[in-house]
Amino acid sequence: MTKGQIEAKISEAVSKFEIEYMGRGPKQIKTIITEDIIVVRLIGFLSPTEKRLAQTKEGIELIKKVRATLFENAKEDLANLIKQVIDVDIAGIYSDVNTVNGEKVIVITLNENLEKKLSQ
């Protein structure tokens, strides 16, 4: 598979994960592979209720805490989904959300240079 095809499959896997574990998928998703790092950008992932909550400081903190807890509890499953696509060991998975613009970023670090592996 090409780098673009792998990125698309990772986007599909992350979108499926978001729907199953977080309750809804993003409106847009983009994956970029750079050397031993995969960055997944999700846009439009907040529910209507979360958008209303995000209008206060307390609501933002609550959304971040709930989303972080859900992600931490399920990130091993996400790692397994990604590993099925890339067949490379994952060193770590990290995530953060921006409640102002409804954006989420997932960073996946790998134990080898996937980009180099794909170009061989």
Side-chain angles (χ1 to χ4, degrees):
M1 278 192 283
T2 67
K3 179 181 171 188
Q5 290 170 322
I6 296 285
E7 289 169 339
K9 287 201 171 284
I10 292 169
S11 290
E12 288 174 27
V14 171
S15 188
K16 180 181 175 186
F17 169 82
E18 288 289 317
I19 291 167
E20 290 180 7
Y21 288 90
M22 304 297 180
R24 69 178 275 137
K27 290 182 180 173
Q28 292 179 292
I29 186 166
K30 180 174 174 97
T31 298
I32 300 168
I33 298 169
T34 304
E35 297 181 5
D36 61 347
I37 298 171
I38 300 169
V39 178
V40 185
R41 181 180 179 204
L42 301 91
I43 299 170
F45 76 97
L46 291 175
S47 71
T49 302
E50 288 172 319
K51 287 178 186 175
R52 283 190 292 282
L53 272 174
Q55 294 174 0
T56 66
K57 182 180 177 186
E58 294 81 13
I60 290 169
E61 291 171 3
L62 181 61
I63 292 166
K64 286 185 170 266
K65 186 173 183 176
V66 168
R67 288 278 181 162
T69 301
L70 289 170
F71 188 81
E72 282 299 315
N73 290 339
K75 75 179 181 180
E76 195 66 37
D77 293 331
L78 178 59
N80 290 333
L81 288 172
I82 301 296
K83 191 166 180 350
Q84 289 174 10
V85 175
I86 62 173
D87 194 32
V88 171
D89 287 333
I90 294 172
I93 298 181
Y94 313 92
S95 175
D96 195 17
V97 299
N98 182 328
T99 57
V100 174
N101 65 4
E103 184 175 81
K104 177 177 183 173
V105 176
I106 300 171
V107 178
I108 303 156
T109 56
L110 308 172
N111 288 331
E112 63 182 282
N113 187 330
L114 178 58
E115 190 173 32
K116 184 176 180 181
K117 183 178 176 180
L118 293 172
S119 66
Q120 295 176 349

